[in-house]
Amino acid sequence: MSGPRRRDSARPRRSLTAPRAQASWRRVVNRYAPFELLSADEVEAIHRTSLRVLQELGIEVLSPAARTLFKSAGAEVDEATSLVRIAPELVLSLVAKAPAAFRLVPRNPLRQLVIGGRHVAFGLVAGPPNVHDRIRGRRAGNYADYCDFVRLAHHFNAIHLLGNQVCAPVELPANSRHLDTYLANLVYSDLAFHCSAIGAGRVEDAVRMAALAQGTTVEVLATRPAVMTVININSPRRLDDAMAEGLMAMARHGQPVVVTPFTLMGAMAPVTLSAALAQQNAEALFGIALAQLVRPGTPVMYGAFTSNVDLRSGAPAFGTPEHTQANIASGQLARRYRLPYRCSNASASNAADAQGAQETQMALWGALLGHANLVYHAAGWQEGGLTASFEKLVLDVELLEAMIAFLAPPTVDAETLAFDAIARVPPGGHHFGDAHTLARYEHAFHSPRLADWRPYEAWREAGAEDATVRATGVWQRALAEYEMPPLDVSAREALEDYVVRRRIEIGSGEP
Amino acid sequence: MSGPRRRDSARPRRSLTAPRAQASWRRVVNRYAPFELLSADEVEAIHRTSLRVLQELGIEVLSPAARTLFKSAGAEVDEATSLVRIAPELVLSLVAKAPAAFRLVPRNPLRQLVIGGRHVAFGLVAGPPNVHDRIRGRRAGNYADYCDFVRLAHHFNAIHLLGNQVCAPVELPANSRHLDTYLANLVYSDLAFHCSAIGAGRVEDAVRMAALAQGTTVEVLATRPAVMTVININSPRRLDDAMAEGLMAMARHGQPVVVTPFTLMGAMAPVTLSAALAQQNAEALFGIALAQLVRPGTPVMYGAFTSNVDLRSGAPAFGTPEHTQANIASGQLARRYRLPYRCSNASASNAADAQGAQETQMALWGALLGHANLVYHAAGWQEGGLTASFEKLVLDVELLEAMIAFLAPPTVDAETLAFDAIARVPPGGHHFGDAHTLARYEHAFHSPRLADWRPYEAWREAGAEDATVRATGVWQRALAEYEMPPLDVSAREALEDYVVRRRIEIGSGEP
């Protein structure tokens, strides 16, 4: 006998009970040591190369206001090319002003997050133009699906915050749909959320609406951040005008900025991991420095989105071994500057299938071994970010719940070593009915929501549904069981009034 | 913009080329530091508890010969209960005789394995009574499928060795089918393989056939091991007669023994990880001590198969967070004794689906972070070991290939930091055509065999096949492309003659 066999005779014959209650919402702490993919010397070599990039090559900054800020601080600004070159001492002194950790406090203070240190938070997928589920197929993003995703994120306790726009509600006017999505975020969930930072206006609306939801002022929120955003560097080495304006508006309000270069190796960055990381590092530090120029102490995150493309087709790839390595090494870089660290567990699969599961988990292990403090796009990301998938969201929640359980180290003490329990069960016996087992019956093991561990015959007779098919039932049940979090009537009215007023001010037209 | 977008304008429009040639067969080295799940104190606490188990409780040994060996060495043997109690000094002095690493040399010396140190080898699934593929469905194990699995293991270079009987060929007589499976192992592949160790006879046949295939003697093989076996402890605390006889026969021949307690938490071991590891440790050290009693210096492995059951149904579970933790912690224990370490990346899913992918990868990360030297059942294991699956084998090979790529650390030097390449590409440009990219075009990134990274529309038009469906095509192509490794006619004839002669000696009847 070289492998295990099920011991049918010894096994109790109870059938599966109803789906178990999920673990309560809680902040997750990664108590293990970070994984050191690179040596300290290698981290320094990447660091030095990135400083050369900033000093010798510079970043193209398309916002005149941002260029002015850098110029006043002593950076070299070439107005003809819009290139900003910045000396190592300056960039490092600015980066040093950023806090090592901060709290993000949504309208439900029990759902506040610690961003930094050993904490890790999982975010809902953000940004796809499309949505998909097995029943209704693939379709353009829309407000009804948007609200359902927010409900699901609120329902599943493995999700800690909302990303910026789980999908684009394309039937709504483009210049005011951010108001509708903020409203859904604040009404259908009480989690923290990411706002849009394409221009200062969308930031202003986010901060004001967050304040209205909390019955407070934007000034108070400046001391107790409530909304976060991702600022993408348009890699290589370009900071867009709207992104720069959004970043500066966030900083003025004291709200956290996640600076994330999008450095796909072979496309927007060199084909080698070392160089892509050097470019990512330069671009991330540059954006972080800008935030500190606007308002020293602005909470920021070091964002990493370094993966690779398929060089044969140019298609972006995620969850590759290179992506896993990048997620780990980026954490080493973020820690070098004592900055909170954000990355992602993306996948390029077109379906919520085994490829999606493999790629997402490969990236997620990189994120957690790299001590990410925020795993953005953690649940529901499909097709390299082109689709938010209901079934993938469930598969991802299943994975996140398992990882949360893994991150709780086992206890080793006399009670868990349980010499007496070992002694009580005779050779060849079993522990099913032992007192040590029965006392821990409910919570001994992580209980997955999607895994089907029934014998093959029972599974086949019940329809032979694979995990993706079962996931449909899970999100359908979750929506049925969803409970809207309480919100003061006055706050809700204030929010709705704000949206109506701002729509008129913006003069939003057709989508 | 909070997430990445495909840059259609910048992307070359080449279509996918034909499946790429796979990486050549090679030994895999895990160059990263092992993951320390437990503190050194915790490892010692488990160690001490396991020594108490051996000294105070003992192991039930159903082989009189094994009991005699232990008694002569100074252990306390109770013939009434068959319990063998062994003092810490004795067990540790015996375990210390085992080598920290050894080589396993199959008939093709280029496929020899280093078992120990930082090496890691991946084994084909072993033991299931059933086989499954998407075309023919689930069926009892049989010789034709057996041979196809061996061909696939030979074909896919991510697989380093064959486990003991990928499936039971149930149409062949039970008492001689090991001869047929050894013959298939030796004819259809040139990889090392595990033999059956249920009794001494099957071991004798394996060693003799390995010698015939290599044109050498069993005495030579004693100095250059060629076949390995897994000895399961019938947990808790029982060593079967046939297993003990098999173990002793292997040791007499100097062939490696993997001692693997099967300690499912809550069933054959206590419900807590600490106690299950203490029991596993006691049982593994006991078997290893027996091998050293027979022949000091016998190569052995510390085997771990600690996962948990579903306490509601008693069903075994694999790839759980607890299994991942056990795989890591077991590596810490194995290293404490300087023993090569074996574990598994099992799954309990009934299908080659996203559940199977999640569970297998969870367990595999545990194995690799725990510095397993052998990942047994690494490809094709399904239904908690009740079925060998053709599609799961392909999904697993895809994962193993990605992991092998991950285990190669990136190079950080002036060439890969590529400051000049960063400098050459202007802000907002791309690296597709840069010389640094083109020079590395072929081998810059791991190239998966199963992942489909085409745009959604192209994928849908091509049939919208998920990864499991595509896996069918992969194993079908692999069987079509399979090339039988050369084997001397004389060796083949000698093997066939041996099988015929032994069948008659054994007097094998109907299955």
Side-chain angles (χ1 to χ4, degrees):
Chain A
M1 172 170 66
S2 66
R5 294 182 305 194
R6 302 189 190 214
R7 301 193 169 190
D8 290 313
S9 57
R11 195 197 314 171
R13 278 291 173 196
R14 263 162 289 177
S15 62
L16 283 171
T17 58
R20 92 297 189 249
Q22 66 177 335
S24 58
W25 192 95
R26 59 194 159 111
R27 287 184 289 277
V28 174
V29 176
N30 185 344
R31 299 195 186 280
Y32 304 120
F35 191 94
E36 306 294 338
L37 186 100
L38 304 175
S39 69
D41 285 351
E42 290 171 336
V43 171
E44 286 310 293
I46 292 168
H47 161 75
R48 283 194 306 271
T49 303
S50 73
L51 294 182
R52 273 192 73 194
V53 169
L54 291 174
Q55 180 163 39
E56 299 177 30
L57 308 179
I59 305 289
E60 185 185 61
V61 178
L62 300 182
S63 154
R67 289 201 300 274
T68 300
L69 270 176
F70 275 112
K71 190 163 188 177
S72 334
E76 180 192 326
V77 176
D78 182 336
E79 285 294 337
T81 61
S82 299
L83 281 171
V84 175
R85 294 184 177 82
I86 181 167
E89 303 70 33
L90 178 56
V91 68
L92 294 177
S93 70
L94 288 169
V95 167
K97 297 181 194 294
F102 57 90
R103 284 177 182 266
L104 191 65
V105 186
R107 68 176 176 89
N108 179 353
L110 297 175
R111 303 272 180 122
Q112 69 183 280
L113 296 168
V114 178
I115 305 288
R118 290 183 169 269
H119 285 79
V120 54
F122 298 119
L124 181 66
V125 57
N130 307 297
V131 294
H132 182 274
D133 69 70
R134 281 185 54 254
I135 309 299
R136 293 166 291 183
R138 191 174 188 257
R139 53 204 182 267
N142 60 84
Y143 197 61
D145 283 323
Y146 184 99
C147 295
D148 276 345
F149 273 104
V150 171
R151 291 183 181 100
L152 291 172
H154 178 79
H155 177 82
F156 290 123
N157 288 335
I159 300 177
H160 297 102
L161 80 169
L162 307 175
N164 174 33
Q165 290 202 352
V166 64
C167 64
V170 295
E171 79 276 28
L172 301 179
N175 57 356
S176 67
R177 67 172 69 130
H178 64 282
L179 299 165
D180 305 282
T181 61
Y182 297 162
L183 186 65
N185 295 347
L186 288 164
V187 169
Y188 296 120
S189 94
D190 59 7
L191 299 172
F193 69 97
H194 279 247
C195 66
S196 169
I198 303 178
R202 291 179 172 88
V203 168
E204 295 292 340
D205 287 329
V207 181
R208 287 178 194 162
M209 288 177 72
L212 289 175
Q214 298 194 26
T216 187
T217 64
V218 296
E219 288 73 24
V220 168
L221 291 194
T223 67
R224 193 184 72 198
V227 291
M228 185 142 73
T229 200
V230 170
I231 296 293
N232 281 122
I233 305 295
N234 194 347
S235 304
R237 296 192 291 121
R238 175 182 283 161
L239 179 57
D240 284 344
D241 191 12
M243 280 277 139
E245 295 295 329
L247 182 154
M248 293 186 289
M250 288 291 282
R252 280 193 299 273
H253 282 293
Q255 304 301 299
V257 174
V258 184
V259 182
T260 308
F262 187 30
T263 36
L264 287 184
M265 291 180 264
M268 300 86 104
V271 76
T272 46
L273 181 59
S274 314
L277 291 174
Q279 183 185 314
Q280 167 192 290
N281 202 59
E283 295 172 351
L285 295 185
F286 188 85
I288 289 165
L290 176 56
Q292 303 310 313
L293 276 176
V294 174
R295 180 186 170 116
T298 295
V300 298
M301 297 193 82
Y302 181 107
F305 215 136
T306 293
S307 187
N308 58 294
V309 295
D310 178 354
L311 285 173
R312 295 177 299 177
S313 67
F318 302 102
T320 61
E322 294 81 9
H323 187 191
T324 306
Q325 291 184 336
N327 276 355
I328 298 174
S330 297
Q332 296 184 266
L333 289 162
R335 285 193 298 283
R336 191 203 177 285
Y337 309 107
R338 295 173 44 83
L339 292 169
Y341 167 44
R342 168 256 155 134
C343 63
S344 302
N345 62 348
S347 147
S349 181
N350 287 302
D353 64 349
Q355 178 188 337
Q358 172 175 325
E359 291 176 345
T360 294
Q361 190 175 155
M362 285 295 290
L364 184 58
W365 275 100
L368 296 178
L369 293 173
H371 272 219
N373 301 111
L374 167 62
V375 183
Y376 203 62
H377 303 304
W381 164 290
Q382 196 158 291
E383 284 179 44
L386 293 179
T387 286
S389 158
F390 284 81
E391 280 82 20
K392 183 64 158 54
L393 177 118
V394 173
L395 294 178
D396 290 345
V397 164
E398 174 89 346
L399 174 61
L400 297 177
E401 289 180 334
M403 281 296 195
I404 291 170
F406 170 77
L407 290 175
T411 304
V412 180
D413 59 17
E415 268 195 35
T416 61
L417 284 164
F419 179 82
D420 292 346
I422 297 174
R424 272 196 301 270
V425 175
H430 65 76
H431 285 259
F432 284 122
D434 187 76
H436 185 259
T437 306
L438 294 176
R440 289 160 180 81
Y441 183 83
E442 282 294 329
H443 302 293
F445 307 128
H446 171 63
S447 181
R449 65 173 69 239
L450 188 66
D452 190 324
W453 293 337
R454 285 178 296 183
Y456 180 84
E457 294 73 16
W459 171 78
R460 191 181 52 191
E461 280 160 29
E465 294 183 339
D466 68 20
T468 306
V469 174
R470 296 196 303 272
T472 306
V474 172
W475 66 255
Q476 287 175 329
R477 268 197 306 279
L479 284 179
E481 292 169 6
Y482 162 80
E483 289 179 28
M484 201 158 89
L487 176 63
D488 284 349
V489 174
S490 60
R492 173 144 188 177
E493 284 175 358
L495 286 166
E496 287 170 345
D497 289 350
Y498 182 88
V499 168
V500 168
R501 181 167 60 76
R502 283 288 293 149
R503 271 209 207 97
I504 294 164
E505 286 175 13
I506 291 171
S508 64
E510 291 306 299
Chain B
M1 170 171 67
S2 66
R5 294 182 306 193
R6 302 189 190 214
R7 300 191 168 191
D8 290 314
S9 58
R11 193 198 314 173
R13 277 292 174 196
R14 263 162 289 176
S15 62
L16 284 171
T17 58
R20 93 292 190 256
Q22 66 177 335
S24 58
W25 192 97
R26 60 193 158 113
R27 286 184 289 277
V28 175
V29 177
N30 185 344
R31 301 196 186 278
Y32 304 120
F35 191 94
E36 306 294 337
L37 186 101
L38 304 175
S39 71
D41 285 350
E42 290 170 336
V43 170
E44 286 309 294
I46 292 169
H47 161 74
R48 283 194 306 272
T49 303
S50 72
L51 293 182
R52 274 191 73 193
V53 170
L54 290 175
Q55 181 164 39
E56 300 177 29
L57 308 179
I59 305 289
E60 185 185 62
V61 178
L62 300 182
S63 154
R67 289 199 301 274
T68 300
L69 271 175
F70 274 113
K71 189 163 188 178
S72 333
E76 180 191 326
V77 176
D78 181 336
E79 286 294 336
T81 60
S82 300
L83 283 171
V84 175
R85 293 184 178 83
I86 182 165
E89 304 70 34
L90 179 56
V91 68
L92 293 176
S93 69
L94 288 168
V95 167
K97 297 181 195 292
F102 58 90
R103 285 177 182 265
L104 191 65
V105 186
R107 68 176 177 88
N108 179 352
L110 297 175
R111 303 273 180 124
Q112 70 182 278
L113 296 168
V114 178
I115 305 288
R118 290 183 169 268
H119 286 79
V120 54
F122 298 121
L124 181 65
V125 58
N130 306 297
V131 295
H132 182 274
D133 69 70
R134 281 186 54 256
I135 308 298
R136 293 166 291 182
R138 191 174 187 257
R139 52 204 182 267
N142 60 83
Y143 197 61
D145 283 323
Y146 185 99
C147 295
D148 276 347
F149 272 103
V150 172
R151 291 184 182 100
L152 291 171
H154 179 79
H155 177 83
F156 290 123
N157 288 336
I159 300 177
H160 296 104
L161 79 169
L162 307 175
N164 174 33
Q165 290 201 350
V166 64
C167 65
V170 295
E171 80 276 29
L172 301 179
N175 57 355
S176 67
R177 66 172 71 129
H178 65 281
L179 298 165
D180 305 281
T181 60
Y182 297 162
L183 186 65
N185 295 349
L186 288 164
V187 168
Y188 296 119
S189 95
D190 59 8
L191 300 171
F193 68 98
H194 279 248
C195 66
S196 169
I198 303 178
R202 291 179 172 88
V203 168
E204 295 292 339
D205 288 328
V207 181
R208 288 180 194 161
M209 289 178 72
L212 288 174
Q214 298 194 25
T216 186
T217 64
V218 295
E219 288 73 24
V220 168
L221 291 194
T223 66
R224 194 185 70 199
V227 291
M228 187 143 71
T229 200
V230 170
I231 296 292
N232 282 124
I233 305 296
N234 194 348
S235 305
R237 297 192 289 121
R238 175 181 284 162
L239 179 58
D240 285 343
D241 192 12
M243 280 275 140
E245 294 296 328
L247 182 155
M248 292 187 289
M250 287 292 282
R252 281 193 298 272
H253 282 292
Q255 304 301 301
V257 174
V258 184
V259 182
T260 309
F262 187 31
T263 36
L264 287 183
M265 291 179 264
M268 299 85 104
V271 76
T272 46
L273 181 59
S274 313
L277 291 174
Q279 184 185 314
Q280 167 193 289
N281 202 58
E283 294 173 353
L285 295 186
F286 187 84
I288 288 165
L290 176 56
Q292 304 309 314
L293 275 177
V294 175
R295 181 185 170 118
T298 294
V300 297
M301 298 193 80
Y302 181 107
F305 214 136
T306 292
S307 187
N308 58 293
V309 295
D310 178 353
L311 284 174
R312 294 176 301 176
S313 68
F318 302 102
T320 61
E322 294 81 8
H323 187 191
T324 306
Q325 291 184 336
N327 276 356
I328 299 174
S330 296
Q332 296 184 267
L333 288 162
R335 285 192 299 284
R336 191 204 176 286
Y337 310 107
R338 295 174 45 82
L339 292 170
Y341 168 43
R342 167 258 155 133
C343 63
S344 302
N345 62 348
S347 147
S349 181
N350 287 303
D353 63 350
Q355 179 188 335
Q358 171 173 326
E359 291 176 344
T360 294
Q361 189 175 155
M362 286 293 291
L364 183 58
W365 275 100
L368 296 177
L369 293 173
H371 272 219
N373 302 112
L374 168 62
V375 182
Y376 203 63
H377 304 303
W381 165 289
Q382 196 158 291
E383 283 179 44
L386 293 178
T387 286
S389 158
F390 284 82
E391 280 81 22
K392 184 63 160 53
L393 181 136
V394 173
L395 293 178
D396 289 344
V397 164
E398 173 90 344
L399 175 61
L400 297 178
E401 289 180 334
M403 280 296 193
I404 291 170
F406 170 77
L407 290 175
T411 304
V412 181
D413 59 17
E415 268 195 36
T416 60
L417 284 164
F419 179 81
D420 292 346
I422 298 174
R424 272 195 301 271
V425 175
H430 65 76
H431 285 259
F432 284 122
D434 187 76
H436 185 260
T437 305
L438 295 177
R440 290 161 180 80
Y441 182 84
E442 282 295 330
H443 302 293
F445 307 129
H446 171 63
S447 181
R449 65 172 69 239
L450 187 66
D452 190 325
W453 292 337
R454 287 178 294 184
Y456 180 82
E457 294 74 15
W459 170 77
R460 191 181 52 191
E461 280 160 29
E465 294 182 341
D466 70 19
T468 306
V469 175
R470 297 196 303 273
T472 306
V474 172
W475 67 255
Q476 287 174 330
R477 270 197 306 279
L479 283 179
E481 292 169 7
Y482 162 79
E483 289 180 25
M484 200 160 89
L487 176 64
D488 283 351
V489 174
S490 60
R492 173 144 187 177
E493 284 174 358
L495 286 167
E496 287 170 347
D497 289 349
Y498 182 88
V499 167
V500 169
R501 180 165 61 79
R502 283 287 293 149
R503 272 207 207 98
I504 294 165
E505 286 175 15
I506 292 171
S508 64
E510 290 306 300

